[in-house]
Amino acid sequence: MTSSSIRVGVDIGGTFTDVALEHPGGLATCKVLTNYSQPEQAILDGIAQAAAQAGCDLAAIDQVIHGTTLVTNALIERRGAKLAFITTEGFRDVIEMRSENRFEQYDLNLTLPKPLVARRDRFTLNERMGPAGEVLLPLAEDDVAAMVERILAGGYEAVAIGLMHSYANDAHERQMAQALQAAAPQLSISISSVISPQMRELPRFNTVIANAYVQPQVADYLGRLVERLRQAGVRAPVFMLHSGGGLISVETAAEQPVRLLESGPAGGAIFAAHLARGHGLDKVLSFDMGGTTAKICLIEDGAPKTANTFEVARTYRFKKGSGMVISTPVVEMVEIGAGGGSIASIDSMGRIQVGPRSAASEPGPACYQRGGEAPTVTDANLLLGRLDPENFAGGAIPLSTEAARRAVAAELTASTGLEVPDAAFGVTEMVDENMANAARVHTVENGRDIEHFTMIGFGGGAPLHACRLCEKLGIEELIIPPGAGVGSAIGFLKAPFSYEATRGLFQKLDQFDATAVNAALNEMEREARAFVDDGARGAATTTRLTAFMRYSGQGWEIPVSLPHKVFENSDQSLILAAFEDAYRTLFGRIIDGLKAEITNWSLVVATVLPDVVKIARHDSGTPADARREVSFFDAARRAIVTAREVERAAMTPGKIVDGPAVIVENETTTIVTCAYRAIGQGDGSLLLRRKGEAA
């Protein structure tokens, strides 16, 4: 796209729909409440507001980039198609048996999440492929015809097909799919060899089932969105941000909606990575807190950490292992139910708990005066003086302090004996501790020391909580970027067009078959380039190759970066050295005497990102002008403090305000606690630095 292009990023969250419109004159942003019954309506309203703010016509928009939680929400809420699953005889119950790991070892009443497909809707075929792709048991035409009749008689809207070892040979999956498509052209069909052609049947089956489960709903929504945009005068192509942090066409997204899982949070990670490169930061902790959830991601060397599997729809207090394992490229992050709309309650032991339930946008927090009665984090922040009731969301949503007080008193003070201010403090301190614990666990799991990271905080809620989080984590520096309230939507505008192709190809390294590997990689590159060219034909691209490797006898692999080249059998030593280097980085040592093996391959083709403008750092300057004095509760001081309120626009490069301070803008508020000093930076960011023990 050229510098004169007009591009729009739209992120639908659980509470707000964020819009960022990039135009020759700068950036126009806005937040509107998410419309649950018609999510596309909030998009249209937000784009219209942003276009009016920028002074541009809707017909002049060149590109719309969208991220959505629709897929995630459909899986969590079990709102999908009537679905059948076809698998190999003997493997009908794989998705119910799971990995047989207990994610809560000592809970005698442990409840496992139910599979998306009930047992009565899981069918089997008498066929079998071997792990090398050899046909061990052919699939008979009579069996295929009988299965077609069963599916048609069941009145299913979608079918997922996952047969054993189809990643090595997909002939039987395609044979079954073609017969179903010929008999019922309207039927939505997903096959695992296309959606997730990798080893391990549990994540592969889960992934194709999840794709088929949401495909009719997502295809309908995306078709409706494109049509409504055209009717409104926006004739620009629509692209979707996938969970791996790149852009794909809306047509690809409709066919493979499982790639849209976590697409909104991925935009936030892209946003943070862009900021990290501009500020020359090698170690960044991305902190994205919205109305419903908080997301934490590691950014190292200017790129977010990625993975090829993750869990969705966790059912046990967001505990690892309690969700559905999905095998699709994703920006790796930890996500917890901690947002502005998270509901506070008293548990059976008389303790304040926050989340994971959220008031979302309908009805919203009690202070919104839209019918919500439960106390939320936003209500608590309002009672502690951290929000201006007259200027929330630029004055678009007036807040009621009295409604917040009633909600906290009714639900939190009666059974605990706490006063309302103490209960409000308990709510914010609990949510801050939950987020701090999540950040600690995430960094430890990745072998990192959190004190050496700089935090980048964005989303409507992060600037309110980021200073307190840094106090708890021992982080010295924090950046609040411009447009923080709509960070994910801005991140969409920074994302490359990209596609990740994956293949299962098991080989022991001492029996490395370069011919088979090169054939697979060539096929993967053709697949990935076809998708990238669909959105950015002729653009310069980069290619990234990853092998997933382990020692023989181990149960899981680690990602190993390799050069993208034509391999030779003699490259065993090169691959082994890369594996040992990656293994040593993660675990501090290698294991002598064990042989290595490769299970899966991943190849990413992405358009080249433009060079970022390096931001000159300001560490000192002159005091910013304050417009008035306000009061808020400083959690570390355990006291109400008198603070200066400063307009964000007044924090020009080199302008300083010492905490306690409140920096206000339309889409969020930054709380500068007593321990920190805020300094305006050249790109409009705020650098918050710890003042030291004397503070």
Side-chain angles (χ1 to χ4, degrees):
M1 303 299 286
T2 66
S3 59
S4 61
S5 298
I6 299 176
R7 306 166 70 223
V8 180
V10 184
D11 176 33
I12 295 184
T15 304
F16 287 98
T17 294
D18 300 340
V19 177
L21 188 147
E22 186 179 62
H23 58 98
L27 189 70
T29 63
C30 71
K31 297 174 79 75
V32 296
L33 287 170
T34 294
N35 186 321
Y36 274 75
S37 60
Q38 290 184 301
E40 69 274 12
Q41 186 59 52
I43 293 176
L44 294 168
D45 294 342
I47 291 177
Q49 289 183 31
Q53 182 183 334
C56 72
D57 190 83
L58 293 179
I61 294 174
D62 297 295
Q63 193 178 84
V64 176
I65 302 170
H66 178 30
T68 177
T69 57
L70 180 66
V71 175
T72 305
N73 292 343
L75 294 176
I76 292 173
E77 298 166 12
R78 303 298 176 107
R79 293 185 293 101
K82 183 179 180 182
L83 176 63
F85 176 51
I86 301 173
T87 189
T88 303
E89 180 70 36
F91 294 88
R92 179 185 185 187
D93 297 318
V94 163
I95 60 172
E96 194 149 11
M97 295 166 63
R98 297 161 54 86
S99 63
E100 297 188 344
N101 289 334
R102 292 179 63 86
F103 51 83
E104 188 62 42
Q105 186 173 357
Y106 300 109
D107 186 351
L108 299 180
N109 300 311
L110 186 68
T111 302
L112 296 174
K114 293 182 180 179
L116 285 177
V117 188
R119 198 170 195 272
R120 64 177 180 274
D121 298 319
R122 304 198 294 259
F123 308 108
T124 61
L125 289 170
N126 193 28
E127 64 80 43
R128 190 66 181 267
M129 290 289 183
E134 68 275 25
V135 179
L136 300 179
L137 181 62
L139 177 58
E141 289 292 344
D142 289 346
D143 289 346
V144 171
M147 183 61 68
V148 170
E149 289 183 12
R150 294 184 73 177
I151 297 299
L152 295 182
Y156 295 103
E157 299 171 296
V159 177
I161 304 174
L163 304 180
M164 286 302 294
H165 301 303
S166 62
Y167 59 87
N169 185 343
D170 65 353
H172 289 174
E173 281 195 353
R174 292 192 179 277
Q175 181 182 350
M176 187 70 248
Q178 289 165 3
L180 283 170
Q181 202 71 73
Q186 78 288 350
L187 192 63
S188 173
I189 301 170
S190 299
I191 61 175
S192 72
S193 54
V194 169
I195 302 302
S196 178
Q198 301 183 67
M199 282 181 59
R200 288 203 169 87
E201 59 270 19
L202 176 60
R204 182 161 55 88
F205 289 0
N206 277 342
T207 305
V208 71
I209 286 170
N211 193 84
Y213 186 69
V214 301
Q215 202 273 333
Q217 181 182 354
V218 172
D220 178 67
Y221 163 69
L222 293 178
R224 202 167 63 239
L225 171 63
V226 171
E227 181 58 29
R228 291 288 304 277
L229 285 170
R230 299 219 186 297
Q231 291 174 359
V234 180
R235 309 203 178 276
V238 178
F239 297 97
M240 306 296 294
L241 189 86
H242 61 70
S243 56
L247 303 181
I248 54 176
S249 69
V250 71
E251 292 80 14
T252 300
E255 293 171 2
Q256 300 186 29
V258 74
R259 287 182 178 262
L260 300 183
L261 283 164
E262 302 298 304
S263 70
I270 295 297
F271 178 56
H274 178 80
L275 262 293
R277 292 194 299 273
H279 286 266
L281 300 172
D282 294 330
K283 297 181 181 295
V284 162
L285 187 73
S286 167
F287 170 44
D288 176 5
M289 182 180 178
T292 305
T293 58
K295 285 77 67 175
I296 294 164
C297 176
L298 296 181
I299 311 289
E300 295 186 284
D301 299 323
K305 187 173 176 58
T306 58
N308 69 335
T309 62
F310 74 111
E311 284 185 38
V312 66
R314 290 180 181 173
T315 59
Y316 202 89
R317 185 64 181 172
F318 291 84
K319 191 170 186 66
K320 187 175 183 179
S322 67
M324 183 190 310
V325 179
I326 299 291
S327 177
T328 192
V330 64
V331 171
E332 188 174 9
M333 62 184 71
V334 59
E335 182 173 358
I336 65 171
S342 293
I343 294 173
S345 60
I346 303 297
D347 68 9
S348 59
M349 297 180 67
R351 304 171 301 181
I352 293 176
Q353 297 292 316
V354 181
R357 291 188 306 123
S358 174
S361 63
E362 298 173 2
C367 60
Y368 281 17
Q369 305 176 83
R370 295 167 57 89
E373 297 180 353
T376 66
V377 174
T378 296
D379 295 308
N381 278 322
L382 178 62
L383 293 173
L384 296 175
R386 298 169 182 169
L387 292 173
D388 182 353
E390 305 299 326
N391 196 40
F392 184 75
I397 305 176
L399 304 182
S400 169
T401 304
E402 184 54 36
R405 188 181 305 278
R406 285 197 304 270
V408 170
E411 299 293 331
L412 304 181
T413 66
S415 59
T416 61
L418 293 171
E419 298 294 329
V420 167
D422 294 330
F425 165 60
V427 171
T428 60
E429 192 71 353
M430 182 59 70
V431 78
D432 288 341
E433 190 60 35
N434 288 344
M435 293 186 292
N437 281 336
R440 292 185 191 105
V441 170
H442 188 52
T443 50
V444 168
E445 285 179 344
N446 285 279
R448 302 295 187 266
D449 188 349
I450 199 168
E451 289 88 352
H452 298 153
F453 282 70
T454 298
M455 180 180 287
I456 294 181
F458 56 95
L464 286 161
H465 293 262
C467 261
R468 181 57 178 155
L469 216 58
C470 287
E471 289 173 351
K472 288 177 174 289
L473 296 171
I475 291 177
E476 299 292 322
E477 291 190 348
L478 157 71
I479 291 176
I480 305 295
V486 293
S488 289
I490 297 175
F492 295 171
L493 303 175
K494 310 297 183 185
F497 285 90
S498 74
Y499 189 88
E500 182 168 353
T502 57
R503 290 291 185 278
L505 182 60
F506 178 82
Q507 289 188 352
K508 292 184 180 297
L509 191 55
D510 60 359
Q511 300 171 13
F512 184 68
D513 183 351
T515 301
V517 168
N518 290 330
L521 295 183
N522 287 337
E523 182 183 343
M524 291 162 66
E525 185 172 8
R526 284 195 298 271
E527 176 187 332
R529 288 197 180 280
F531 283 105
V532 171
D533 286 347
D534 191 32
R537 186 172 299 278
T541 60
T542 61
T543 305
R544 186 173 73 250
L545 178 64
T546 303
F548 291 87
M549 301 182 64
R550 66 190 182 193
Y551 284 113
S552 295
Q554 289 186 328
W556 208 252
E557 307 84 35
I558 63 170
V560 178
S561 296
L562 294 175
H564 180 231
K565 55 170 287 187
V566 177
F567 286 99
E568 299 177 359
N569 290 337
S570 59
D571 285 326
Q572 292 179 20
S573 57
L574 178 151
I575 298 172
L576 179 61
F579 169 64
E580 290 181 340
D581 185 55
Y583 199 92
R584 189 181 291 108
T585 299
L586 276 176
F587 303 111
R589 53 162 292 186
I590 60 173
I591 304 176
D592 293 325
L594 287 184
K595 295 182 178 180
E597 55 193 27
I598 306 169
T599 59
N600 296 314
W601 293 84
S602 161
L603 187 141
V604 179
V605 174
T607 54
V608 176
L609 289 171
D611 294 334
V612 297
V613 177
K614 298 297 182 182
I615 308 302
R617 182 182 172 102
H618 293 267
D619 288 308
S620 60
T622 58
D625 294 330
R627 67 177 191 177
R628 62 173 179 171
E629 286 191 343
V630 295
S631 298
F632 71 83
F633 187 88
D634 188 299
R637 292 282 183 93
R638 300 293 197 273
I640 297 289
V641 295
T642 301
R644 282 165 290 182
E645 183 179 271
V646 179
E647 291 276 1
R648 178 71 182 258
M651 294 297 294
T652 53
K655 288 296 182 180
I656 294 175
V657 60
D658 281 338
V662 179
I663 302 174
V664 297
E665 55 187 304
N666 281 349
E667 287 140 7
T668 189
T669 298
T670 301
I671 297 295
V672 186
T673 62
C674 297
Y676 283 80
R677 163 181 293 171
I679 310 165
Q681 300 298 301
D683 64 340
S685 293
L686 301 174
L687 171 64
L688 278 68
R689 297 179 60 194
R690 191 182 290 269
K691 291 187 288 187
E693 292 302 321

